[in-house]
Amino acid sequence: MSTGRTRALRLTRRGGPPVLTEVPRPVPVGEEVLVRVEAAGLCRSDLHVIDARAGDLPYRIPFTLGHEVAGRVAERGPRAVGPPVGERVVVYGPWGCGTCARCAAGADNYCDRRAELDADLTGTGTGLGRDGGMADLLLVPSGRLLVPVGDLAAVQAAPLSDAGLTAYHAVATVRRSLDDVPDASVVVIGVGGLGHLAVQILRATTAARVLAVDVREEALTLAEECGAHFDTLLRPDTSTVLRSRTGGVGAVAVLDFVGGHSSMALAVDVLRAGGELAVVGSGGGELAVRKPGALPPGTRVSLPFWGTAPELEQVVALAREGALRVQVEQFALSSAPEAIARLRSGAVRGRAVLVPD
Ligand code: NAD
Ligand code: ZN
Ligand code: ZN
């Protein structure tokens, strides 16, 4: 067992900036597993976490950022289960209580004890109140939270554990509606890290017509490369344009990867009666639920959060089959400030991924 120190990108005060600092090398005990990080994706949620004010999030500071992590098992605690030392893995990031019915089924994202964990400021998962993978090493509470990735490149694998998994879970929430309705259309709002994978997942796993919306031309080009049937900039007449693309009836489902005021307003305008809206983004928008109101009759609204471990296995399988390809901008871990600045300014195409240097 080696000792010494290692590097980690830590959020040390609200508002940031996070700092790359030396920390003691973690040592796995009990069921814990130590992963040598090969890549960690940067999510817009990291910006929300950095910018959160006191009381906004149930997290204790400091902690290491990074909730989208791929690496290699480096060391196992004496009671560890799961992949052996040397195996390449992605980390299932939502960490629940580990024992409730949901966690036992691999759905830590909907842990039954979430309220208790939040009250104790235990954190939502890796890099979200608990030490994450923007680091040389990541300590994982249990091997049950690791999914083997074989020979997938690390920069491809890491984003699967959040951008890929969350997009897959969001598609899963509306899949029945898309499958039940002939010639169904689905609108994807926001073709960034999550959205560009959602477009690919929709194309790979449904027969729906995929209509993509963004505020950036380069994101629309990415949507086309990912297989969107139609794409358009967000403009005052976008809902009319999209409706005409659905034969006038509206979209069976809308996946909102922005969650802002303008994206939710668009979603309400383009939904078909009996349609489904999945709000994935945390952009501060609000939706009034009232009868009668602006939402079409029969609308179902969901707030999907991350995804389950079995779904992560399915996402990894899709990527290994070649059905899912992450558009990556690679940065050294020591260049994290540059990656964060690019994401903030809306310049990243696809996903920014940090690689320990
Ligand atoms: P991103 O910055 O990579 O992508 C966002 C995209 O939306 C960009 O292409 C941007 O140009 C576009 N956009 C911004 N405003 C828009 C608007 N009004 N209309 C249309 N497009 C617009 O971000 P990301 O990492 O993909 O994350 C997206 C959102 O999802 C964030 O709010 C993030 O916090 C949230 N998120 C939620 C979950 C979850 O489990 N629910 C998981 C991960 C991320
Ligand atoms: Zn995220
Ligand atoms: Zn639980």
Side-chain angles (χ1 to χ4, degrees):
M1 191 187 302
S2 43
T3 52
R5 298 182 73 76
T6 174
R7 296 171 314 160
L9 187 74
R10 311 253 309 152
L11 186 64
T12 54
R13 60 182 177 86
R14 291 177 211 291
V19 285
L20 190 60
T21 173
E22 286 216 334
V23 294
R25 187 186 203 275
V27 177
V29 298
E31 290 176 35
E32 292 173 343
V33 177
L34 188 65
V35 171
R36 173 153 299 279
V37 176
E38 292 180 339
L42 175 66
C43 178
R44 184 155 292 272
S45 297
D46 292 313
L47 305 186
H48 299 323
V49 169
I50 293 167
D51 297 341
R53 288 161 309 182
D56 281 356
L57 292 170
Y59 303 162
R60 204 174 268 129
I61 286 174
F63 64 89
T64 302
L65 290 169
H67 56 271
E68 226 180 53
V69 190
R72 193 183 283 275
V73 175
E75 205 176 311
R76 289 159 47 104
R79 288 189 287 111
V81 297
V85 168
E87 178 109 37
R88 298 185 64 251
V89 294
V90 278
V91 179
Y92 175 63
W95 294 348
C97 72
T99 53
C100 73
R102 288 275 172 68
C103 288
D108 292 50
N109 54 323
Y110 298 136
C111 169
D112 284 325
R113 300 217 175 88
R114 175 49 50 204
E116 289 165 50
L117 300 181
D118 287 351
D120 290 345
L121 302 182
T122 304
T124 315
T126 185
L128 296 168
R130 303 184 63 174
D131 285 341
M134 290 182 183
D136 294 315
L137 292 162
L138 170 62
L139 192 63
V140 179
S142 166
R144 78 178 179 88
L145 302 165
L146 301 175
V147 174
V149 295
D151 58 2
L152 262 187
V155 294
Q156 286 291 315
L160 300 180
S161 62
D162 175 34
L165 174 57
T166 304
Y168 188 90
H169 182 60
V171 171
T173 62
V174 304
R175 187 180 304 285
R176 272 267 290 283
S177 301
L178 294 178
D179 288 349
D180 284 354
V181 179
D183 304 320
S185 294
V186 53
V187 173
V188 173
I189 309 179
V191 191
L194 273 61
H196 88 288
L197 295 177
V199 171
Q200 294 180 49
I201 291 164
L202 285 163
R203 291 306 317 274
T205 66
T206 77
R209 246 185 109 65
V210 181
L211 315 176
V213 184
D214 205 289
V215 290
R216 299 183 293 153
E217 285 284 3
E218 61 272 30
L220 298 183
T221 311
L222 180 57
E224 284 164 27
E225 290 165 14
C226 291
H229 295 92
F230 176 76
D231 54 83
T232 181
L233 284 173
L234 181 69
R235 294 204 178 101
D237 68 340
T238 298
S239 61
T240 313
V241 171
L242 289 175
R243 271 196 171 272
S244 72
R245 291 281 161 171
T246 67
V249 294
V252 166
V254 178
L255 304 179
D256 182 357
F257 292 103
V258 180
H261 296 290
S262 57
S263 62
M264 286 196 199
L266 174 66
V268 170
D269 282 349
V270 300
L271 269 176
R272 184 175 184 164
E276 290 207 59
L277 166 60
V279 181
V280 184
S282 319
E286 284 182 22
L287 197 63
V289 177
R290 196 186 312 121
K291 282 181 79 177
L295 285 165
T299 301
R300 286 183 297 274
V301 178
S302 60
L303 307 172
F305 174 64
W306 223 325
T308 68
E311 286 173 329
L312 180 55
E313 286 173 13
Q314 289 158 29
V315 174
V316 168
L318 275 180
R320 294 189 68 182
E321 285 161 19
L324 205 51
R325 176 133 195 106
V326 185
Q327 178 70 39
V328 172
E329 280 191 18
Q330 189 174 322
F331 296 83
L333 176 60
S334 57
S335 300
E338 188 189 331
I340 290 170
R342 260 183 84 75
L343 180 60
R344 259 193 210 288
S345 68
V348 172
R349 193 165 189 272
R351 202 54 147 182
V353 179
L354 307 178
V355 174
D357 47 331

